[in-house]
Amino acid sequence: MTSSPRPPHVGDRPDPTGGTTALGGEPAPARGYLLDNARAEAGERFVWLAELFDGVTRGHFDRLGVRVGSRCWEVGAGGRSIPEALAAAVGPTGHVLATDIDPSWLKAGGGYEVRRHDVAADPPPEPGTFDLVHARLVLIHVPDRAWALATMVAALRPGGWLLVEDADTALQPLACLDDSGPAQRRANRMRDAVRELLTRRGADLRYGRTLPRALREAGLIDVAASGSFPVGGLACDRLEAATIRHVRGELLAAGLADDAEIDAHLAAIHAGKLDLTLAPLISAWGRRPAEHPPALG
């Protein structure tokens, strides 16, 4: 990379809203990460995200050469499933570090190390030492994505792999592809409302498609990407219900939905009336060059 981003100071962190204005033209207040780990629904979301995407992610781990003895950093781990999978893959001679700004859902002593860490503000842990650094559904929510990406690259050993997986909700914004009736159209309105909340908090809903370019600009080589797009089934239903319950208060406060509409949407989900889908998950990977590796700072 031609230049490295400067670390933000505590007193001048980027505006989490990214300068986005709310509906009606009023500036949206900065309120932090919308889908934070502090609520019980976060644990439900981790379960169903794992059901939907862990197989995809583990397949990338295998192809990128995670094996016994590998050193891996799981960024913004959230739940336990990926750190546990990595710990099983690397065995007792390897090392897995799982970090999050709120690591309360992680299990110390579960075969991996747990640390509190903000990838958008803190320096890379153990720079230049990891065979694999992975983040899933993290950078889309981070205001200073270039800094976070540079932090992860700096943690790689020469020849190590970075795997970043993020959604692109602008690429496919619908909750129901077949909006054939009122319940389906209501689901799509609710998805629009959640997307609006995310945008107000600074999420980049087009970030997934930019990942290959972002990895090349960060100095990585052998960059490639693929996509995963689940449609229908129990996991999609349960994830949608947990997400709507998680952000219900924010939807009401913002005037983006009312109680009757939310209750009707949740009832339709539980009745199995909707073939719900998600935004595509874009998985992109690249390798740190063996010579003249990029440095942070």
Side-chain angles (χ1 to χ4, degrees), residues 13 30 33-34 36 40 51 57 61 79 98 115 117 137 145 159 166 168 196 227 243 245 249 257 260 268-269 285 297:
R13 291 287 300 280
Y33 176 39
L34 179 65
D36 61 82
E51 179 71 19
T57 299
F61 291 163
R115 291 188 205 172
H117 182 272
L137 299 173
R145 297 171 187 92
D166 254 309
D168 193 317
E196 173 63 21
T243 300
R245 293 198 309 272
I269 295 170
W285 54 91

Side-chain angles (χ1 to χ4, degrees), residues 47 66 81 90 111 129 132-133 139 174 184 208 238 240 270 281:
V47 168
V66 175
S81 65
V90 306
T129 66
L132 175 86
V133 176
L139 294 191
L174 300 177
Q184 288 77 14
R238 295 290 176 83
E240 173 75 1
H270 293 313
L281 182 74

Side-chain angles (χ1 to χ4, degrees), residues 5 22 28 40 42 45 71 77 91 94-95 112 131 140 178 186 191 220 225 231 235 250 264 277 297:
R45 283 177 44 80
R71 290 177 51 81
H95 176 66
Y112 52 89
D131 299 291
I140 187 175
D178 179 20
R186 180 177 55 237
R191 182 65 57 84
L220 301 182
V231 179
E250 287 81 358
T277 186

Side-chain angles (χ1 to χ4, degrees), residues 139-231:
L139 294 191
I140 187 175
H141 302 289
V142 172
D144 195 342
R145 297 171 187 92
W147 168 253
L149 199 61
T151 299
M152 292 190 286
V153 170
L156 292 170
R157 66 165 179 79
W161 289 93
L162 174 63
L163 171 63
V164 180
E165 301 181 285
D166 254 309
D168 193 317
T169 59
L171 190 63
Q172 195 300 100
L174 300 177
C176 290
L177 299 175
D178 179 20
D179 58 347
S180 56
Q184 288 77 14
R185 290 189 286 272
R186 180 177 55 237
N188 286 337
R189 290 195 302 273
M190 295 296 297
R191 182 65 57 84
D192 285 343
V194 174
R195 293 173 68 237
E196 173 63 21
L197 288 178
L198 288 167
T199 299
R200 294 183 186 189
R201 301 296 183 95
D204 181 354
L205 303 186
R206 299 168 60 89
Y207 187 63
R209 74 191 70 181
T210 73
L211 281 172
R213 171 170 52 85
L215 266 58
R216 287 194 300 271
E217 291 176 350
L220 301 182
I221 61 174
D222 299 332
V223 172
S226 65
S228 178
F229 186 25
V231 179

Side-chain angles (χ1 to χ4, degrees), residues 243-253 259 262-263 266:
T243 300
I244 293 299
R245 293 198 309 272
H246 194 139
V247 303
R248 180 173 190 141
E250 287 81 358
L251 289 169
L252 295 172
D259 277 316
I262 293 172
D263 288 342
L266 290 172

